[in-house]
Amino acid sequence: MKTLIKIIYIVLVGFCINQVHSQTTDRATIIANLEFFYYDNPSNSTYLGIDNQQVSNGTESGSFWTNANTTSLRDFIRALLKDPSNGGDASLQYYTAKLLRINNRKIAVYLWNDQTAFTASSVPSTVHNPRPDGTGHVWPHASHWTLAQEPNWGGYMDMGIHYIGIHGAQWLKETFLHELMHAEDQTNSLALPFNVDGHWYHYGNDGSHFYTEAVPSKRFAYMEAIAHVAAFYFNYNQFQHHFNWFNRNGDMRVERNAPSQWRRWLRQLFGYDGHVWLHDEIREATGSSGRRLNDQYSVYRIQDLPGKFIVHNETVMAMMMTMTSMHVAEIDPFIWAVKTFNTRISANQGQDPLALFVKVFSEGMLQNGETISAIKQELDARNYTAASVDTPYTFILPLAYSDYFTGYTSTTKDQFKALFNNEMDTDLIDIYWDHFKDRVRNNVTIRSSRSLSDMTTIAMQCGVNQSYLPGASGRRYEGN
């Protein structure tokens, strides 16, 4: 494998690699690919359009810019569109542009003055219908549109003033990035396996999900995970908060409410996914029903669960993705993996999402011309167990962090394969398990680890002790 071309040392306090795309280019991408529509009243069909170029130039005018109710939205739009020297937020612009370049299609952003509660039926049928929460306010939401669904738009997003007033400007920016990733995500839901008697069980019976929940559908855990990564990069404190939850072996909640057991007995006949009954699967595997949290949920300590259930958690997936990408070249390898995942999942929606993502994540970090199989042959031939790694094996990081964030609960190679529903490239599994697993586990334990510096130690045990400057590594993720 080739050595690093241009390097800087990894630093885990913030993200150390400079945001190298010019701010002008980032703002141009945003201006071209975001369009804002403001509704002063969800029950009124009249909206105000935002002229992006006027905002960028500082010549914005009209009632939206003078209405006292729109202060939070005005500040946010200016942060997205104005030059950083004149009120723009360079970091927000950088990550927004990165996400928009996944599909390079225009996104409609609907902004709602929902301070007065409304009902879905009160919104005119001619207007895009926002998703109300249980109290009559707009729940932040986004969705992707395919070319077949909508040739002119790549997706949409809804944001309301009500929740901004509760959570503040920083929350708005993080939530915007989270929802923008949903608009860029081409992953489709598998309708039949998680629809039982006309009720959806993607997130469970209640249709909700939590950072600390194992949800039935790994596809939906994946969808939330990639959205979390976008927000983690913008606000690293969010990542640290969730890392601390994992490190103290915190609680993982699992919803108990599921269809009747006789439906479970007939799941193969009807084509239901067995994970609809996730709590039953966990109870049968562990011999424990967990600790009762409330009428809906039981909780387990993370590391009391087999790894194949831990990966049903969106935050665990997101932490693995974040750590892998930032130890190579900030967010670029992750963006490449999402983009590649989008194209491959559409060909077979039944694939295990974690297996596919880790596979493409690893492929993206290969040098052009390298193959996993050739590297495996070389390592096997050398019976590679050297005390120090002789070259950076960046492509193995997704598996190393998958092992770490499932608490090293896989005690056999077959159990490790089960994390990925036995769909992972066997050469990748063999390389990590036979040549790197012991090195990683012997140098970073789970129970005693309380420092993010351990994430760098894991990278170094895979030979990755430096990070690539953008455009300098010759790896597949570059140039996309």
Side-chain angles (χ1 to χ4, degrees):
M1 296 180 71
K2 298 178 182 178
T3 57
L4 303 182
I5 302 173
K6 291 186 179 180
I7 54 177
I8 67 173
Y9 285 100
I10 293 170
V11 179
L12 280 175
V13 179
F15 294 104
C16 59
I17 302 178
N18 291 328
Q19 300 166 355
V20 296
H21 280 282
S22 72
Q23 294 166 351
T24 301
T25 301
D26 289 341
R27 290 196 299 120
T29 296
I30 296 167
I31 290 170
N33 289 287
L34 289 182
E35 190 161 340
F36 300 94
F37 304 88
Y38 171 69
Y39 286 86
D40 193 54
N41 185 339
S43 300
N44 192 321
S45 60
T46 303
Y47 69 85
L48 294 173
I50 308 298
D51 188 318
N52 291 352
Q53 196 62 60
Q54 284 186 357
V55 180
S56 175
N57 296 338
T59 58
E60 61 269 28
S61 62
S63 60
F64 174 80
W65 300 101
T66 58
N67 187 335
N69 291 331
T70 64
T71 300
S72 59
L73 294 178
R74 297 199 310 263
D75 291 346
F76 170 67
I77 292 172
R78 285 166 172 155
L80 270 173
L81 299 176
K82 293 181 77 67
D83 188 280
S85 65
N86 193 30
D89 185 326
S91 181
L92 177 65
Q93 292 170 6
Y94 174 77
Y95 291 115
T96 297
K98 287 286 187 184
L99 299 188
L100 288 170
R101 292 182 189 122
I102 292 175
N103 293 317
N104 288 309
R105 298 184 66 204
K106 185 171 285 190
I107 305 298
V109 182
Y110 298 98
L111 307 171
W112 302 88
N113 182 1
D114 59 343
Q115 291 172 313
T116 300
F118 70 99
T119 63
S121 61
S122 70
V123 178
S125 60
T126 56
V127 174
H128 164 78
N129 208 323
R131 176 176 293 184
D133 65 4
T135 63
H137 301 284
V138 174
W139 186 253
H141 174 70
S143 186
H144 174 75
W145 283 328
T146 65
L147 279 168
Q149 290 172 313
E150 173 50 66
N152 299 313
W153 298 90
Y156 72 90
M157 183 188 311
D158 291 308
M159 302 290 290
I161 290 176
H162 174 77
Y163 279 103
I164 301 170
I166 294 173
H167 299 291
Q170 179 70 9
W171 171 89
L172 172 59
K173 293 175 181 179
E174 294 169 22
T175 302
F176 169 79
L177 290 171
H178 179 105
E179 298 300 332
L180 181 57
M181 179 59 91
H182 285 322
E184 297 295 322
D185 179 14
Q186 297 178 26
T187 305
N188 296 322
S189 64
L190 291 173
L192 178 62
F194 290 93
N195 191 314
V196 181
D197 292 336
H199 188 73
W200 294 101
Y201 289 88
H202 292 115
Y203 290 126
N205 179 64
D206 62 3
S208 299
H209 63 101
F210 298 87
Y211 283 110
T212 59
E213 181 180 359
V215 298
S217 172
K218 285 177 72 176
R219 181 67 53 79
F220 273 57
Y222 162 82
M223 290 163 58
E224 296 300 334
I226 61 172
H228 293 329
V229 174
F232 285 171
Y233 269 92
F234 178 70
N235 183 5
Y236 190 56
N237 289 333
Q238 282 288 335
F239 176 89
Q240 292 175 308
H241 170 76
H242 296 294
F243 181 83
N244 291 338
W245 161 75
F246 170 80
N247 243 354
R248 67 174 182 268
N249 196 21
D251 286 339
M252 183 88 78
R253 65 169 66 194
V254 183
E255 190 173 6
R256 293 191 308 276
N257 299 334
S260 60
Q261 284 297 321
W262 71 271
R263 284 292 188 194
R264 189 184 180 204
W265 298 334
L266 299 174
R267 62 188 181 276
Q268 291 185 330
L269 176 64
F270 287 101
Y272 303 141
D273 191 298
H275 295 320
V276 169
W277 293 268
L278 184 63
H279 182 259
D280 295 316
E281 291 183 321
I282 293 173
R283 185 182 64 244
E284 290 158 8
T286 64
S288 169
S289 296
R291 175 172 56 83
R292 189 180 182 90
L293 179 65
N294 53 38
D295 289 342
Q296 290 180 294
Y297 288 92
S298 292
V299 295
Y300 297 82
R301 305 290 275 183
I302 300 171
Q303 291 157 40
D304 290 343
L305 291 174
K308 65 180 181 179
F309 299 124
I310 297 175
V311 291
H312 280 256
N313 173 255
E314 61 199 55
T315 308
V316 164
M317 276 199 203
M319 289 190 292
M320 176 276 289
M321 296 171 181
T322 302
M323 284 293 102
T324 297
S325 194
M326 73 169 291
H327 279 87
V328 178
E330 216 247 4
I331 202 172
D332 285 346
F334 167 74
I335 294 293
W336 185 92
V338 171
K339 193 172 185 178
T340 307
F341 181 100
N342 277 350
T343 61
R344 295 194 191 178
I345 198 68
S346 61
N348 177 7
Q349 287 288 324
Q351 298 175 82
D352 180 83
L354 182 61
L356 177 60
F357 189 84
V358 168
K359 185 175 187 297
V360 300
F361 215 175
S362 295
E363 289 176 359
M365 289 180 282
L366 292 173
Q367 291 277 1
N368 292 318
E370 288 182 332
T371 65
I372 297 294
S373 59
I375 295 171
K376 179 181 182 300
Q377 291 176 11
E378 177 211 352
L379 294 174
D380 288 348
R382 289 197 284 156
N383 190 25
Y384 187 65
T385 56
S388 59
V389 188
D390 55 6
T391 193
Y393 292 90
T394 54
F395 71 92
I396 210 66
L397 288 181
L399 285 90
Y401 289 121
S402 294
D403 192 20
Y404 177 85
F405 283 111
T406 51
Y408 300 155
T409 53
S410 301
T411 58
T412 67
K413 188 184 290 187
D414 284 344
Q415 289 177 356
F416 192 61
K417 291 177 180 178
L419 298 183
F420 312 101
N421 199 38
N422 297 310
E423 296 179 30
M424 176 54 65
D425 183 304
T426 55
D427 285 345
L428 271 173
I429 293 285
D430 289 343
I431 290 172
Y432 176 70
W433 196 263
D434 298 339
H435 301 294
F436 292 93
K437 178 258 299 179
D438 291 340
R439 189 193 325 274
V440 167
R441 292 185 177 188
N442 290 341
N443 283 275
V444 177
T445 61
I446 293 292
R447 299 287 182 184
S448 62
S449 177
R450 291 294 181 271
S451 171
L452 277 167
S453 65
D454 291 333
M455 300 298 93
T456 299
T457 302
I458 290 174
M460 294 177 69
Q461 294 309 311
C462 299
V464 184
N465 59 6
Q466 296 166 316
S467 300
Y468 299 99
L469 289 174
S473 76
R475 281 169 161 71
R476 293 182 188 176
Y477 67 81
E478 291 184 336
N480 289 278

